[in-house]
Amino acid sequence: MTASRILIAGLACAGLLLLAACGSGSSGEPEVGTDKSGLALALAAPMMVDADLATRNQAEAAISGGGPPVIVLPPFVQTDEMVAAAKAEAEKLSGGSIPAAPMADGEPDPVLRDGVAAAQRAAAIKGPGKVCGASADYALAWSLQLPPALPIYPRGNLQEAAGSNIDGCRLRSVRFVSPVEPSAIVDFYHARVRAAGFAVRYRADKETHQLSGSKGQAEFAVQVRKREDGLTEADIVVNGF
């Protein structure tokens, strides 16, 4: 058998193994459920390409270490039109103009502020979610399971997502970036959780804004802050929804 035929046969076998692996289930994987529209749209959307990344050597990418998947996308082009469009979609989701959040009543929680990994940020919600972070795993599909009251802000760029359904947990932890200023994003989430019947606390300093609250077994924490590159970074952590 020639070398080319050996190579083709090897690739065919590898493809069959990959198909078999895709068909196997795992209890730790996120269940997208019946709401597959977001995933379908994401798969159907045009691929964004950054010419600066085309020559980067990714030969060892498949054997890199664990942790959240790294999403390398072209940077936002921060235009007034983009910000206005995102705000208009946020108002549409909220059923009209969004009222301003009240004045903050305390300093940010350092557990959420300094949390690097999803498990650390999960510890900021004080109920059952505090221990659920230990079983969290990273998978972008978790972002499709956020509760209706706490979606990713319109036109936000997803950075990472983690979650757990193990041992009674309903943990979701998502990070995204947006060109919209922090105050508008805080107002959006404050209005939505209040409309959903949550008791809400707002804490802030000059750099970090945090919303947190609970209703029954459901609890949440949202953090919003400005990055050095001018974008706004936001974290959403929920459990029990």
Side-chain angles (χ1 to χ4, degrees):
M1 184 180 293
T2 66
S4 61
R5 290 181 179 177
I6 292 173
L7 177 60
I8 293 171
L11 290 173
C13 291
L16 290 173
L17 288 173
L18 285 173
L19 287 173
C22 290
S24 62
S26 173
S27 60
E29 290 297 317
E31 299 174 0
V32 176
T34 57
D35 182 11
K36 298 181 180 179
S37 58
L39 184 58
L41 288 173
L43 293 174
M47 181 179 293
M48 291 186 288
V49 178
D50 188 344
D52 293 336
L53 301 177
T55 58
R56 183 174 296 179
N57 185 355
Q58 297 289 332
E60 304 301 327
I63 57 173
S64 60
V70 177
I71 306 175
V72 181
L73 293 174
F76 274 113
V77 179
Q78 292 176 263
T79 63
D80 292 341
E81 291 78 11
M82 176 180 286
V83 172
K87 288 183 175 180
E89 291 180 26
E91 290 187 350
K92 184 177 180 180
L93 280 176
S94 302
S97 61
I98 301 172
M103 296 290 292
D105 64 358
E107 294 292 313
D109 178 1
V111 174
L112 181 59
R113 182 193 63 205
D114 301 332
V116 176
Q120 295 170 323
R121 294 193 291 271
I125 46 181
K126 308 302 183 184
K130 187 172 184 178
V131 298
C132 286
S135 61
D137 70 294
Y138 288 93
L140 299 185
W142 290 114
S143 66
L144 302 180
Q145 298 188 41
L146 289 170
L150 290 160
I152 293 175
Y153 191 89
R155 305 202 178 205
N157 186 328
L158 178 66
Q159 300 294 291
E160 67 175 65
S164 173
N165 287 334
I166 298 174
D167 295 332
C169 295
R170 291 287 297 168
L171 177 69
R172 312 287 182 259
S173 178
V174 168
R175 171 170 286 179
F176 67 91
V177 294
S178 170
V180 177
E181 68 273 14
S183 59
I185 295 178
V186 169
D187 294 345
F188 171 76
Y189 286 119
H190 186 271
R192 290 190 69 83
V193 293
R194 284 295 302 273
F198 281 79
V200 188
R201 184 177 182 188
Y202 175 30
R203 292 178 283 193
D205 59 19
K206 292 182 179 180
E207 298 179 352
T208 303
H209 305 260
Q210 294 178 349
L211 299 171
S212 60
S214 62
K215 183 177 71 171
Q217 294 296 311
E219 53 189 340
F220 77 92
V222 173
Q223 178 168 267
V224 183
R225 54 188 168 189
K226 198 77 168 179
R227 301 199 319 188
E228 291 182 358
D229 61 3
L231 294 174
T232 298
E233 180 180 87
D235 295 302
I236 303 172
V237 184
V238 301
N239 191 62
F241 282 81

